[in-house]
Structure formats: structure tokens, C-alpha cells
Amino acid sequence: MSLLRTNNLTKKFGGLTAVSKFAMDIKEMEIVGLIGPNGAGKTTVFNMLTGVYKPTKGSIFFDGRDITGIKSHEVTKLGIARTFQNIRLFKELSVLDNVLVANHLRLKSNILFSVLRTPNYIRQEKHMYEKSMELLKEVGLDDVKDEMASSLPYGKQRRLEIARALATDPKILLLDEPAAGMNPQESFELMEFIHDIRDKFDLTIFMIEHHMQVVMGVCEKIYVLDHGVTIAEGTPKEIQNDEKVIEAYLGVD
Amino acid sequence: MKDKRKILTIISLILFVILLFIMNRTFDSYEIRILNLCGIYVVLGLSLNLINGFTGLFSLGHAGFMAIGAYTSAIFTMSPELKQMNYYLKPIIPIFKNIQLPFLPSLLIAGLMAGLIGFLIAAPVLRLKDDYLAIATLGFSEIIRVVFTNTQSLTNGALGLKGLPKYTNVWWSWGMAIGTVIFMVLLIKGSYGRALMAIREDEIAAEAMGIDLFRHKIISFTIGSFLAGVGGALLAHLLGTIDPLMFRFLLTFNILLIVVLGGIGSITGTVISAVVVTVLMEFLRVLDGTMDLGFIRISGIPGMRMVVFSALLMFVILFYQRGIMGTKEFTWDWILNRKKKYTQIKG
């Protein structure tokens, strides 16, 4: 069943068309990649999907619902979580607090009940804590839960960001260059990790990635953007042999 | 372990109340006034820290909300005769003429009024960020002051209000201070507090985590204004006299000084620095007067102590950029762990 679908999605910044007529269809439990040279408009697609940018034209359907132009925090509430290309953790909060914050959107108590610590609130807080600890264990960060987020090494910060995104109970996870700055060994572990969380949380994953080994190894379907235009889509094998893709990446004489 | 900390907190609270009782008995009226001021500045410092330190909204409008609180509670607590005496140029609006309420309800109404105005101002102003927000809130605070100067039949204009009942005693000021500290701890340690701090750390990421930025900013700003209103009311009933000139930017600056010195985003830091700054402010009055250094006589320069405070502020900003406490808090664990470490080294 189709989970996230876009139709004729276009974004213009003044005279520049960053993304033009982008159409995609992601089915449940799929792992889909979005690749393209620098400046192709990949992150712009992500920003439109998550409500950061309003599309100039076109529409986005999530879980059978038109979500075009709704606010970013509402998109997250519906079940689309994301990570960022340049890690955006809450630097001065502890590792555990970073994940706990992402539970806040599901909190069913208002601020008064929270300050009064009603039994209902305490139950929710306990549930948040347990869920967050479980997620931290999943990404192997439970032993550093009290450290400040900014004190973690780069690779762990990436994993913390994924754990934080998972804490919002998403149906689909958008990963913006998760393997950036990782060595081959780490990227390999990341591929396994992505498969694991997909199966464990029944997730659909949509990722931007430059690291070809990761993309080809983990994705079942790939979209290729160049200058905002979709130049190819298909399985990794089809993409690898597509002439237009090779042209876009290597250039022509 | 958790129970141990709870017991420690309760014991120290009881000890503090006993201490207040003793101070209340032995201090002379001047010292008690300083003690009261300390409590009020704890409330005010925490309310500004909630907005500036925990939510990261650079607001400079505190004096305005204090003015609203001070005037509201003054109007509600004055007796009809006192009102007639104060409003001799232009009589007060008839509805308020015969109203007189006890202190507690007046204090609450003062807070609610300031909170309401804060809420109304927040909607347009919180669309701005950083220095623009600071300028806009500063502007609103000045607008409130100017409005109060010109609404003579409500606030008695530039003449001010005199002879207000002096309800504020050690129990009112420190009761409110302790209440505010407890409220802040419960708020900040809870889910909403984490959400506010997330907004401070990174707005884009906070929104991507499903936090409604606008709603949470408004909540923080409104609570901060409420507490500022309560603080303003306490101050009015401590001094007994208020006029619009009292609520100039300098008052906001004093509170900002407390927040910055104590640590932006630290509850205990604000409490410590509120007490230290208030006491120093009185202690350094010597500098304002004539000084005889034996070989040279310096005639008094009023405002000299503010120079000392400005220098102190610069020193702190240069060497402890995050204030005395930074975003850290004083906790029992901190002491207990130190003790443990110490005994480990010894043993």
C-alpha cells in the first residue's frame, strides 16, 4: 500500500526552480533512496515533505491524506520523522533528555497537570523514560545517557539523532545523509542498523545518501534528481546502468 | 536514594523557614526590608529566567509586566478613602471606587492581569527572534509605562499612588519565592520544561520533533509575565509608593543582571545571584556617599554603585560566560558525590 506519495511537486525560490515536478510513490516497509549531485534539490524535497517549505505547486499524500502545506510539527505528529544533514541535536541537553523531548508530542497532559505531577502524568513520564531507554539501548547509547549530547563523538551523535527521531513514533523515517562522514566500516554497520530498525519498528525509510555503497546496498528503490528534475527511478541495478545517471554524475564530453 | 534527597530537601526547607523566623525577629526594619527585596527579586529573576534562560526568548519587557501587577494590586487593595485621597486631581473610574480586596486575591488578580497582557503581547511579538524580539518587548514595556502615565483616572498618572497598605512581609515575599522555586523545578524537570529547553537549543529540530513552537513560547511568556506581575505587586506593597517612573528600563536591567550573573538557565543560580545582588546593592550604597580616604576626599557621586555592578557584569561575561552556575543546578547528588569522592580519597 502506498504510504507517502507526491504529485507534481515543485518548489521555486524566486527565479530558481529547486525541484520540478517531483513524483514519487513509497510503499509501506520499503527502503527508498534519493540521490543526485550536490545542489540537485534533495534536501528541498525533504523540507517540503516535512512541512518546512511550502511547495510552490503539487501535492503530498501521506497515509491516504493530503498533507500539503501543513505545519512541520503537525507532520511529525502524523508520523513522519526526520534527521538532519548537519546534525541538529539539543546540544546542552543530556543524551536521555534529547530522546525524552521527542516523546513530548504524544503527551496527553496539559502544563498544569505536568507541574502538579498527577498520577496520570507520572505514568506517562515513566512510560516515556522506559521507551527512551529502550531506544537508547537499541542504538547502543544507554551507557552514556547522562552525558551532554554535544560531548558525544560524531558517529554516536548520528545514532542519537536517529533514536530521537524514532521516539516520535514515526511510520516513515526520513534520513538526510546518515552515512556522511563515516568510514567504510561504520557505513557497513549503518546499513545493517537501517535494516534492523525497519524490521523492528515496521518502518518505511526514505533516505538521501551520497555514499553509493550504502545506497545500492540498502535501498530497494532509488530516485535520482539532477537540477531538480527526476532523471531516473528504479532498482539499484537499473540505476547503475542508466546512462542519464552516469552522465549526471560523471559528466559528458 | 531518591527518598534521601527528598528528606534532605524537606529538612533544609524547614531549617530555612526557622532561619527566616529568627531573622524576622532579630533584624531591624531596614534589614528586613532588604530581606524582603531578596525574596521579591528571586521571584522576578526566576520569571525572567524562564523566558530568557530556559526558552531562549530574549525579552526585555519585564518592567512593563511588573507595572501592570503593581498597579492592579494597588487599585484592588486601597480603601475607598485612600483612593479618594490619592486621586485628588481626577477621580478614579467609578467601578473601582468602592472595591477593596484582601492581599491574596489582589496578588492573584495582579498576576493574572499581567499574564493576560503578556499573552496578548506574545501573539504578535513572538513571531520575531533574538534582538528584534528584545526591541519589540522593550517597546511594549515602555508603551505600558506611557499609557499608565496618561490614564489618570485609572492610575493617577505621573502623580503615582501613595500610602499603599504595606502587606508584604517576610512570609509573603519568601513564601512566593519558595513557591516560585518549587513551581520552576517541577516545570523544568517535566516534559514541558524539556520542550522549552529544546526550543532554546534548536528551534528547527524542536519543531521537527513535533513541538508546537508558537504554543510553547506563548506558554512560557505568559507564565513569565504572570510571575513578573506577582513580583511587581509584592514590590508595590513593600515600598508603599508607586509611580510610572519606577518601571523604567533600569528595573528590567537589574533583573537581567541577576539572571546573567546567576547563569542563564539555572534556577539555583538565579536564587543565589538574586540574594547576592540585592544585598550588594544595599551594601555598596557607601560608594554613592562621600568617601574619606584619609589623604583625599571624594564627594558623593550618586549611581557610583551601578558602575561597580556594570564592571562586575563585564567581569562575569568575560570570564564566566554562562554566569556563576551556567545551565547547571545545585543538587543533592552533587554534594553527596563529593562527599563520597572525598571519603574514597581519604580511605
PDB file of all heavy atoms in Angstrom, chain A residues 73 76 88 90-92 97 100-101 104 107 109-111 115 117 121 125, chain B residues 186 190-192 194 198 201-202 204-205 207-208 211-212 216 219 322:
ATOM      1  N   HIS A  73       5.408  20.688  12.755  1.00  0.00           N
ATOM      2  CA  HIS A  73       5.196  19.859  13.944  1.00  0.00           C
ATOM      3  C   HIS A  73       3.987  18.944  13.796  1.00  0.00           C
ATOM      4  O   HIS A  73       3.926  17.877  14.386  1.00  0.00           O
ATOM      5  CB  HIS A  73       5.084  20.730  15.195  1.00  0.00           C
ATOM      6  CG  HIS A  73       3.928  21.661  15.203  1.00  0.00           C
ATOM      7  ND1 HIS A  73       2.722  21.326  15.739  1.00  0.00           N
ATOM      8  CD2 HIS A  73       3.790  22.906  14.719  1.00  0.00           C
ATOM      9  CE1 HIS A  73       1.885  22.344  15.595  1.00  0.00           C
ATOM     10  NE2 HIS A  73       2.514  23.318  14.980  1.00  0.00           N
ATOM     11  N   THR A  76       5.072  15.850  11.855  1.00  0.00           N
ATOM     12  CA  THR A  76       5.740  14.899  12.747  1.00  0.00           C
ATOM     13  C   THR A  76       4.708  14.110  13.555  1.00  0.00           C
ATOM     14  O   THR A  76       4.847  12.914  13.766  1.00  0.00           O
ATOM     15  CB  THR A  76       6.683  15.636  13.712  1.00  0.00           C
ATOM     16  OG1 THR A  76       7.459  16.554  12.964  1.00  0.00           O
ATOM     17  CG2 THR A  76       7.586  14.670  14.430  1.00  0.00           C
ATOM     18  N   ARG A  88      21.548  18.102  14.101  1.00  0.00           N
ATOM     19  CA  ARG A  88      20.903  19.133  14.923  1.00  0.00           C
ATOM     20  C   ARG A  88      20.383  18.516  16.203  1.00  0.00           C
ATOM     21  O   ARG A  88      19.203  18.281  16.355  1.00  0.00           O
ATOM     22  CB  ARG A  88      19.722  19.736  14.156  1.00  0.00           C
ATOM     23  CG  ARG A  88      20.111  20.765  13.143  1.00  0.00           C
ATOM     24  CD  ARG A  88      18.879  21.293  12.457  1.00  0.00           C
ATOM     25  NE  ARG A  88      19.206  22.372  11.560  1.00  0.00           N
ATOM     26  CZ  ARG A  88      19.302  23.644  11.934  1.00  0.00           C
ATOM     27  NH1 ARG A  88      19.086  23.985  13.179  1.00  0.00           N
ATOM     28  NH2 ARG A  88      19.593  24.575  11.048  1.00  0.00           N
ATOM     29  N   PHE A  90      19.956  18.658  20.488  1.00  0.00           N
ATOM     30  CA  PHE A  90      19.840  19.680  21.525  1.00  0.00           C
ATOM     31  C   PHE A  90      21.113  19.586  22.341  1.00  0.00           C
ATOM     32  O   PHE A  90      21.232  18.806  23.273  1.00  0.00           O
ATOM     33  CB  PHE A  90      18.589  19.443  22.358  1.00  0.00           C
ATOM     34  CG  PHE A  90      17.345  19.359  21.517  1.00  0.00           C
ATOM     35  CD1 PHE A  90      16.541  18.236  21.549  1.00  0.00           C
ATOM     36  CD2 PHE A  90      17.012  20.385  20.659  1.00  0.00           C
ATOM     37  CE1 PHE A  90      15.403  18.158  20.761  1.00  0.00           C
ATOM     38  CE2 PHE A  90      15.879  20.316  19.870  1.00  0.00           C
ATOM     39  CZ  PHE A  90      15.074  19.196  19.921  1.00  0.00           C
ATOM     40  N   LYS A  91      22.095  20.402  21.959  1.00  0.00           N
ATOM     41  CA  LYS A  91      23.479  20.189  22.382  1.00  0.00           C
ATOM     42  C   LYS A  91      23.674  20.198  23.895  1.00  0.00           C
ATOM     43  O   LYS A  91      24.451  19.430  24.423  1.00  0.00           O
ATOM     44  CB  LYS A  91      24.381  21.253  21.757  1.00  0.00           C
ATOM     45  CG  LYS A  91      24.527  21.098  20.266  1.00  0.00           C
ATOM     46  CD  LYS A  91      25.729  21.877  19.756  1.00  0.00           C
ATOM     47  CE  LYS A  91      25.825  21.827  18.251  1.00  0.00           C
ATOM     48  NZ  LYS A  91      24.821  22.716  17.595  1.00  0.00           N
ATOM     49  N   GLU A  92      22.978  21.092  24.587  1.00  0.00           N
ATOM     50  CA  GLU A  92      23.245  21.219  26.025  1.00  0.00           C
ATOM     51  C   GLU A  92      22.312  20.375  26.875  1.00  0.00           C
ATOM     52  O   GLU A  92      22.308  20.493  28.086  1.00  0.00           O
ATOM     53  CB  GLU A  92      23.161  22.690  26.436  1.00  0.00           C
ATOM     54  CG  GLU A  92      24.185  23.524  25.722  1.00  0.00           C
ATOM     55  CD  GLU A  92      24.883  24.513  26.622  1.00  0.00           C
ATOM     56  OE1 GLU A  92      24.381  24.770  27.710  1.00  0.00           O
ATOM     57  OE2 GLU A  92      25.939  25.006  26.220  1.00  0.00           O
ATOM     58  N   ASP A  97      17.714  13.178  27.734  1.00  0.00           N
ATOM     59  CA  ASP A  97      16.737  14.249  27.545  1.00  0.00           C
ATOM     60  C   ASP A  97      16.443  14.501  26.069  1.00  0.00           C
ATOM     61  O   ASP A  97      15.317  14.816  25.700  1.00  0.00           O
ATOM     62  CB  ASP A  97      17.227  15.553  28.204  1.00  0.00           C
ATOM     63  CG  ASP A  97      16.944  15.575  29.691  1.00  0.00           C
ATOM     64  OD1 ASP A  97      16.210  14.681  30.153  1.00  0.00           O
ATOM     65  OD2 ASP A  97      17.461  16.458  30.395  1.00  0.00           O
ATOM     66  N   LEU A 100      13.936  11.990  25.300  1.00  0.00           N
ATOM     67  CA  LEU A 100      12.699  12.259  26.041  1.00  0.00           C
ATOM     68  C   LEU A 100      11.901  13.400  25.400  1.00  0.00           C
ATOM     69  O   LEU A 100      10.677  13.342  25.326  1.00  0.00           O
ATOM     70  CB  LEU A 100      13.025  12.611  27.495  1.00  0.00           C
ATOM     71  CG  LEU A 100      13.301  11.438  28.446  1.00  0.00           C
ATOM     72  CD1 LEU A 100      13.793  11.958  29.787  1.00  0.00           C
ATOM     73  CD2 LEU A 100      12.078  10.569  28.638  1.00  0.00           C
ATOM     74  N   VAL A 101      12.607  14.429  24.939  1.00  0.00           N
ATOM     75  CA  VAL A 101      11.930  15.572  24.320  1.00  0.00           C
ATOM     76  C   VAL A 101      11.064  15.119  23.154  1.00  0.00           C
ATOM     77  O   VAL A 101       9.953  15.618  22.961  1.00  0.00           O
ATOM     78  CB  VAL A 101      12.970  16.601  23.825  1.00  0.00           C
ATOM     79  CG1 VAL A 101      12.336  17.576  22.851  1.00  0.00           C
ATOM     80  CG2 VAL A 101      13.560  17.354  24.983  1.00  0.00           C
ATOM     81  N   HIS A 104       7.508  14.249  23.751  1.00  0.00           N
ATOM     82  CA  HIS A 104       6.610  15.293  24.258  1.00  0.00           C
ATOM     83  C   HIS A 104       5.346  15.429  23.399  1.00  0.00           C
ATOM     84  O   HIS A 104       4.269  15.689  23.919  1.00  0.00           O
ATOM     85  CB  HIS A 104       7.361  16.621  24.317  1.00  0.00           C
ATOM     86  CG  HIS A 104       6.563  17.742  24.884  1.00  0.00           C
ATOM     87  ND1 HIS A 104       6.185  17.790  26.203  1.00  0.00           N
ATOM     88  CD2 HIS A 104       6.041  18.860  24.314  1.00  0.00           C
ATOM     89  CE1 HIS A 104       5.480  18.881  26.418  1.00  0.00           C
ATOM     90  NE2 HIS A 104       5.379  19.550  25.291  1.00  0.00           N
ATOM     91  N   LEU A 107       2.408  13.512  24.581  1.00  0.00           N
ATOM     92  CA  LEU A 107       1.974  13.727  25.964  1.00  0.00           C
ATOM     93  C   LEU A 107       0.508  14.163  25.987  1.00  0.00           C
ATOM     94  O   LEU A 107       0.102  15.014  25.217  1.00  0.00           O
ATOM     95  CB  LEU A 107       2.840  14.815  26.615  1.00  0.00           C
ATOM     96  CG  LEU A 107       2.580  15.065  28.096  1.00  0.00           C
ATOM     97  CD1 LEU A 107       3.197  13.965  28.937  1.00  0.00           C
ATOM     98  CD2 LEU A 107       3.161  16.402  28.517  1.00  0.00           C
ATOM     99  N   SER A 109      -1.082  15.261  28.845  1.00  0.00           N
ATOM    100  CA  SER A 109      -1.390  16.115  29.995  1.00  0.00           C
ATOM    101  C   SER A 109      -1.092  17.556  29.624  1.00  0.00           C
ATOM    102  O   SER A 109      -0.156  17.808  28.887  1.00  0.00           O
ATOM    103  CB  SER A 109      -0.498  15.739  31.184  1.00  0.00           C
ATOM    104  OG  SER A 109      -0.796  14.443  31.615  1.00  0.00           O
ATOM    105  N   ASN A 110      -1.882  18.484  30.162  1.00  0.00           N
ATOM    106  CA  ASN A 110      -1.526  19.878  29.915  1.00  0.00           C
ATOM    107  C   ASN A 110      -0.499  20.332  30.947  1.00  0.00           C
ATOM    108  O   ASN A 110      -0.120  19.578  31.843  1.00  0.00           O
ATOM    109  CB  ASN A 110      -2.769  20.775  29.904  1.00  0.00           C
ATOM    110  CG  ASN A 110      -3.443  20.821  31.248  1.00  0.00           C
ATOM    111  OD1 ASN A 110      -2.811  20.630  32.280  1.00  0.00           O
ATOM    112  ND2 ASN A 110      -4.738  21.053  31.243  1.00  0.00           N
ATOM    113  N   ILE A 111      -0.059  21.572  30.802  1.00  0.00           N
ATOM    114  CA  ILE A 111       1.074  22.030  31.607  1.00  0.00           C
ATOM    115  C   ILE A 111       0.750  22.039  33.100  1.00  0.00           C
ATOM    116  O   ILE A 111       1.598  21.734  33.938  1.00  0.00           O
ATOM    117  CB  ILE A 111       1.532  23.417  31.122  1.00  0.00           C
ATOM    118  CG1 ILE A 111       2.869  23.783  31.759  1.00  0.00           C
ATOM    119  CG2 ILE A 111       0.492  24.478  31.387  1.00  0.00           C
ATOM    120  CD1 ILE A 111       3.612  24.859  31.048  1.00  0.00           C
ATOM    121  N   VAL A 115       2.882  20.118  36.035  1.00  0.00           N
ATOM    122  CA  VAL A 115       3.512  20.743  37.203  1.00  0.00           C
ATOM    123  C   VAL A 115       2.977  20.122  38.497  1.00  0.00           C
ATOM    124  O   VAL A 115       3.710  19.942  39.455  1.00  0.00           O
ATOM    125  CB  VAL A 115       3.262  22.267  37.190  1.00  0.00           C
ATOM    126  CG1 VAL A 115       3.693  22.895  38.496  1.00  0.00           C
ATOM    127  CG2 VAL A 115       4.018  22.903  36.040  1.00  0.00           C
ATOM    128  N   ARG A 117       2.151  17.125  38.834  1.00  0.00           N
ATOM    129  CA  ARG A 117       2.565  15.719  38.871  1.00  0.00           C
ATOM    130  C   ARG A 117       1.396  14.793  39.225  1.00  0.00           C
ATOM    131  O   ARG A 117       1.453  14.024  40.189  1.00  0.00           O
ATOM    132  CB  ARG A 117       3.692  15.497  39.888  1.00  0.00           C
ATOM    133  CG  ARG A 117       4.999  16.182  39.553  1.00  0.00           C
ATOM    134  CD  ARG A 117       5.732  15.451  38.442  1.00  0.00           C
ATOM    135  NE  ARG A 117       7.077  15.956  38.246  1.00  0.00           N
ATOM    136  CZ  ARG A 117       7.406  17.013  37.496  1.00  0.00           C
ATOM    137  NH1 ARG A 117       6.466  17.692  36.872  1.00  0.00           N
ATOM    138  NH2 ARG A 117       8.658  17.375  37.349  1.00  0.00           N
ATOM    139  N   TYR A 121       0.028  11.833  34.817  1.00  0.00           N
ATOM    140  CA  TYR A 121       1.235  12.393  34.229  1.00  0.00           C
ATOM    141  C   TYR A 121       2.453  11.540  34.596  1.00  0.00           C
ATOM    142  O   TYR A 121       3.301  11.250  33.756  1.00  0.00           O
ATOM    143  CB  TYR A 121       1.456  13.841  34.694  1.00  0.00           C
ATOM    144  CG  TYR A 121       2.777  14.381  34.235  1.00  0.00           C
ATOM    145  CD1 TYR A 121       2.940  14.841  32.935  1.00  0.00           C
ATOM    146  CD2 TYR A 121       3.888  14.363  35.074  1.00  0.00           C
ATOM    147  CE1 TYR A 121       4.156  15.287  32.496  1.00  0.00           C
ATOM    148  CE2 TYR A 121       5.108  14.810  34.637  1.00  0.00           C
ATOM    149  CZ  TYR A 121       5.239  15.272  33.349  1.00  0.00           C
ATOM    150  OH  TYR A 121       6.460  15.692  32.908  1.00  0.00           O
ATOM    151  N   GLU A 125       5.115   9.850  32.167  1.00  0.00           N
ATOM    152  CA  GLU A 125       6.538  10.174  32.260  1.00  0.00           C
ATOM    153  C   GLU A 125       7.363   8.882  32.388  1.00  0.00           C
ATOM    154  O   GLU A 125       8.418   8.743  31.783  1.00  0.00           O
ATOM    155  CB  GLU A 125       6.750  11.090  33.475  1.00  0.00           C
ATOM    156  CG  GLU A 125       8.187  11.457  33.772  1.00  0.00           C
ATOM    157  CD  GLU A 125       8.664  12.709  33.041  1.00  0.00           C
ATOM    158  OE1 GLU A 125       7.875  13.639  32.865  1.00  0.00           O
ATOM    159  OE2 GLU A 125       9.846  12.726  32.642  1.00  0.00           O
TER     160      GLU A 125
ATOM    161  N   LEU B 186       9.496  21.924  39.247  1.00  0.00           N
ATOM    162  CA  LEU B 186       8.546  20.947  38.721  1.00  0.00           C
ATOM    163  C   LEU B 186       8.316  21.157  37.228  1.00  0.00           C
ATOM    164  O   LEU B 186       8.164  20.201  36.466  1.00  0.00           O
ATOM    165  CB  LEU B 186       7.219  21.039  39.470  1.00  0.00           C
ATOM    166  CG  LEU B 186       7.244  20.507  40.902  1.00  0.00           C
ATOM    167  CD1 LEU B 186       5.924  20.812  41.592  1.00  0.00           C
ATOM    168  CD2 LEU B 186       7.516  19.011  40.914  1.00  0.00           C
ATOM    169  N   GLY B 190       9.995  18.558  34.159  1.00  0.00           N
ATOM    170  CA  GLY B 190       8.948  17.804  33.487  1.00  0.00           C
ATOM    171  C   GLY B 190       9.064  17.874  31.973  1.00  0.00           C
ATOM    172  O   GLY B 190       9.998  18.454  31.432  1.00  0.00           O
ATOM    173  N   SER B 191       8.087  17.292  31.318  1.00  0.00           N
ATOM    174  CA  SER B 191       8.119  17.203  29.865  1.00  0.00           C
ATOM    175  C   SER B 191       8.052  18.582  29.208  1.00  0.00           C
ATOM    176  O   SER B 191       8.722  18.834  28.206  1.00  0.00           O
ATOM    177  CB  SER B 191       6.950  16.335  29.396  1.00  0.00           C
ATOM    178  OG  SER B 191       7.116  15.984  28.067  1.00  0.00           O
ATOM    179  N   TYR B 192       7.250  19.475  29.793  1.00  0.00           N
ATOM    180  CA  TYR B 192       7.138  20.817  29.208  1.00  0.00           C
ATOM    181  C   TYR B 192       8.454  21.584  29.324  1.00  0.00           C
ATOM    182  O   TYR B 192       8.846  22.304  28.414  1.00  0.00           O
ATOM    183  CB  TYR B 192       6.000  21.597  29.868  1.00  0.00           C
ATOM    184  CG  TYR B 192       4.654  21.226  29.300  1.00  0.00           C
ATOM    185  CD1 TYR B 192       3.937  20.170  29.826  1.00  0.00           C
ATOM    186  CD2 TYR B 192       4.135  21.896  28.202  1.00  0.00           C
ATOM    187  CE1 TYR B 192       2.714  19.798  29.284  1.00  0.00           C
ATOM    188  CE2 TYR B 192       2.922  21.539  27.660  1.00  0.00           C
ATOM    189  CZ  TYR B 192       2.214  20.494  28.202  1.00  0.00           C
ATOM    190  OH  TYR B 192       1.021  20.128  27.659  1.00  0.00           O
ATOM    191  N   ARG B 194      11.436  20.302  29.359  1.00  0.00           N
ATOM    192  CA  ARG B 194      12.359  19.787  28.340  1.00  0.00           C
ATOM    193  C   ARG B 194      12.018  20.366  26.977  1.00  0.00           C
ATOM    194  O   ARG B 194      12.905  20.721  26.200  1.00  0.00           O
ATOM    195  CB  ARG B 194      12.276  18.259  28.295  1.00  0.00           C
ATOM    196  CG  ARG B 194      12.967  17.575  29.437  1.00  0.00           C
ATOM    197  CD  ARG B 194      13.095  16.092  29.161  1.00  0.00           C
ATOM    198  NE  ARG B 194      11.802  15.443  29.083  1.00  0.00           N
ATOM    199  CZ  ARG B 194      11.204  14.828  30.109  1.00  0.00           C
ATOM    200  NH1 ARG B 194      11.798  14.774  31.268  1.00  0.00           N
ATOM    201  NH2 ARG B 194      10.028  14.265  29.954  1.00  0.00           N
ATOM    202  N   ALA B 198      14.417  22.536  24.634  1.00  0.00           N
ATOM    203  CA  ALA B 198      14.686  22.098  23.260  1.00  0.00           C
ATOM    204  C   ALA B 198      14.514  23.264  22.297  1.00  0.00           C
ATOM    205  O   ALA B 198      15.300  23.436  21.371  1.00  0.00           O
ATOM    206  CB  ALA B 198      13.755  20.945  22.877  1.00  0.00           C
ATOM    207  N   GLU B 201      17.532  25.361  22.491  1.00  0.00           N
ATOM    208  CA  GLU B 201      18.711  24.758  21.874  1.00  0.00           C
ATOM    209  C   GLU B 201      18.661  24.827  20.349  1.00  0.00           C
ATOM    210  O   GLU B 201      19.665  25.136  19.708  1.00  0.00           O
ATOM    211  CB  GLU B 201      18.845  23.294  22.310  1.00  0.00           C
ATOM    212  CG  GLU B 201      19.152  23.111  23.781  1.00  0.00           C
ATOM    213  CD  GLU B 201      20.514  23.650  24.138  1.00  0.00           C
ATOM    214  OE1 GLU B 201      21.457  23.407  23.374  1.00  0.00           O
ATOM    215  OE2 GLU B 201      20.633  24.326  25.172  1.00  0.00           O
ATOM    216  N   ASP B 202      17.538  24.468  19.766  1.00  0.00           N
ATOM    217  CA  ASP B 202      17.454  24.424  18.308  1.00  0.00           C
ATOM    218  C   ASP B 202      15.986  24.411  17.885  1.00  0.00           C
ATOM    219  O   ASP B 202      15.309  23.398  18.003  1.00  0.00           O
ATOM    220  CB  ASP B 202      18.161  23.160  17.798  1.00  0.00           C
ATOM    221  CG  ASP B 202      18.346  23.192  16.291  1.00  0.00           C
ATOM    222  OD1 ASP B 202      17.469  23.740  15.597  1.00  0.00           O
ATOM    223  OD2 ASP B 202      19.363  22.670  15.810  1.00  0.00           O
ATOM    224  N   ILE B 204      14.571  24.615  14.912  1.00  0.00           N
ATOM    225  CA  ILE B 204      14.215  23.785  13.751  1.00  0.00           C
ATOM    226  C   ILE B 204      14.082  22.331  14.169  1.00  0.00           C
ATOM    227  O   ILE B 204      13.120  21.644  13.822  1.00  0.00           O
ATOM    228  CB  ILE B 204      15.266  23.962  12.640  1.00  0.00           C
ATOM    229  CG1 ILE B 204      15.201  25.399  12.120  1.00  0.00           C
ATOM    230  CG2 ILE B 204      15.036  22.980  11.518  1.00  0.00           C
ATOM    231  CD1 ILE B 204      16.291  25.754  11.149  1.00  0.00           C
ATOM    232  N   ALA B 205      15.055  21.862  14.971  1.00  0.00           N
ATOM    233  CA  ALA B 205      14.994  20.476  15.419  1.00  0.00           C
ATOM    234  C   ALA B 205      13.808  20.265  16.351  1.00  0.00           C
ATOM    235  O   ALA B 205      13.133  19.238  16.281  1.00  0.00           O
ATOM    236  CB  ALA B 205      16.292  20.101  16.127  1.00  0.00           C
ATOM    237  N   GLU B 207      10.964  21.757  16.334  1.00  0.00           N
ATOM    238  CA  GLU B 207       9.735  21.666  15.557  1.00  0.00           C
ATOM    239  C   GLU B 207       9.663  20.327  14.821  1.00  0.00           C
ATOM    240  O   GLU B 207       8.597  19.716  14.730  1.00  0.00           O
ATOM    241  CB  GLU B 207       9.630  22.828  14.568  1.00  0.00           C
ATOM    242  CG  GLU B 207       8.234  22.951  14.008  1.00  0.00           C
ATOM    243  CD  GLU B 207       7.997  24.227  13.249  1.00  0.00           C
ATOM    244  OE1 GLU B 207       8.979  24.798  12.746  1.00  0.00           O
ATOM    245  OE2 GLU B 207       6.824  24.627  13.144  1.00  0.00           O
ATOM    246  N   ALA B 208      10.806  19.871  14.343  1.00  0.00           N
ATOM    247  CA  ALA B 208      10.826  18.582  13.651  1.00  0.00           C
ATOM    248  C   ALA B 208      10.505  17.433  14.604  1.00  0.00           C
ATOM    249  O   ALA B 208      10.103  16.361  14.175  1.00  0.00           O
ATOM    250  CB  ALA B 208      12.190  18.359  12.996  1.00  0.00           C
ATOM    251  N   ILE B 211       7.244  19.576  18.364  1.00  0.00           N
ATOM    252  CA  ILE B 211       6.903  20.571  19.380  1.00  0.00           C
ATOM    253  C   ILE B 211       6.315  21.807  18.701  1.00  0.00           C
ATOM    254  O   ILE B 211       6.940  22.376  17.810  1.00  0.00           O
ATOM    255  CB  ILE B 211       8.148  20.959  20.207  1.00  0.00           C
ATOM    256  CG1 ILE B 211       8.638  19.744  20.985  1.00  0.00           C
ATOM    257  CG2 ILE B 211       7.830  22.102  21.169  1.00  0.00           C
ATOM    258  CD1 ILE B 211       9.998  19.932  21.600  1.00  0.00           C
ATOM    259  N   ASP B 212       5.129  22.183  19.123  1.00  0.00           N
ATOM    260  CA  ASP B 212       4.471  23.365  18.574  1.00  0.00           C
ATOM    261  C   ASP B 212       5.171  24.602  19.136  1.00  0.00           C
ATOM    262  O   ASP B 212       4.926  25.003  20.268  1.00  0.00           O
ATOM    263  CB  ASP B 212       2.994  23.334  18.974  1.00  0.00           C
ATOM    264  CG  ASP B 212       2.209  24.441  18.306  1.00  0.00           C
ATOM    265  OD1 ASP B 212       2.837  25.403  17.832  1.00  0.00           O
ATOM    266  OD2 ASP B 212       0.978  24.331  18.257  1.00  0.00           O
ATOM    267  N   HIS B 216       4.247  26.762  22.716  1.00  0.00           N
ATOM    268  CA  HIS B 216       5.115  26.643  23.883  1.00  0.00           C
ATOM    269  C   HIS B 216       5.773  27.967  24.250  1.00  0.00           C
ATOM    270  O   HIS B 216       5.972  28.267  25.418  1.00  0.00           O
ATOM    271  CB  HIS B 216       6.168  25.554  23.651  1.00  0.00           C
ATOM    272  CG  HIS B 216       5.610  24.187  23.809  1.00  0.00           C
ATOM    273  ND1 HIS B 216       4.897  23.559  22.810  1.00  0.00           N
ATOM    274  CD2 HIS B 216       5.615  23.330  24.854  1.00  0.00           C
ATOM    275  CE1 HIS B 216       4.502  22.380  23.244  1.00  0.00           C
ATOM    276  NE2 HIS B 216       4.924  22.209  24.467  1.00  0.00           N
ATOM    277  N   ILE B 219       3.154  29.907  26.087  1.00  0.00           N
ATOM    278  CA  ILE B 219       3.006  29.395  27.453  1.00  0.00           C
ATOM    279  C   ILE B 219       4.096  29.978  28.341  1.00  0.00           C
ATOM    280  O   ILE B 219       3.833  30.526  29.416  1.00  0.00           O
ATOM    281  CB  ILE B 219       3.087  27.854  27.464  1.00  0.00           C
ATOM    282  CG1 ILE B 219       1.820  27.251  26.850  1.00  0.00           C
ATOM    283  CG2 ILE B 219       3.269  27.332  28.888  1.00  0.00           C
ATOM    284  CD1 ILE B 219       1.847  25.746  26.758  1.00  0.00           C
ATOM    285  N   ARG B 322      28.822  31.849  31.019  1.00  0.00           N
ATOM    286  CA  ARG B 322      27.475  31.347  31.286  1.00  0.00           C
ATOM    287  C   ARG B 322      26.979  31.718  32.671  1.00  0.00           C
ATOM    288  O   ARG B 322      26.065  31.103  33.173  1.00  0.00           O
ATOM    289  CB  ARG B 322      27.431  29.828  31.116  1.00  0.00           C
ATOM    290  CG  ARG B 322      28.116  29.297  29.878  1.00  0.00           C
ATOM    291  CD  ARG B 322      27.426  29.824  28.616  1.00  0.00           C
ATOM    292  NE  ARG B 322      25.997  29.654  28.670  1.00  0.00           N
ATOM    293  CZ  ARG B 322      25.366  28.610  28.177  1.00  0.00           C
ATOM    294  NH1 ARG B 322      26.015  27.672  27.583  1.00  0.00           N
ATOM    295  NH2 ARG B 322      24.068  28.523  28.255  1.00  0.00           N
TER     296      ARG B 322
END
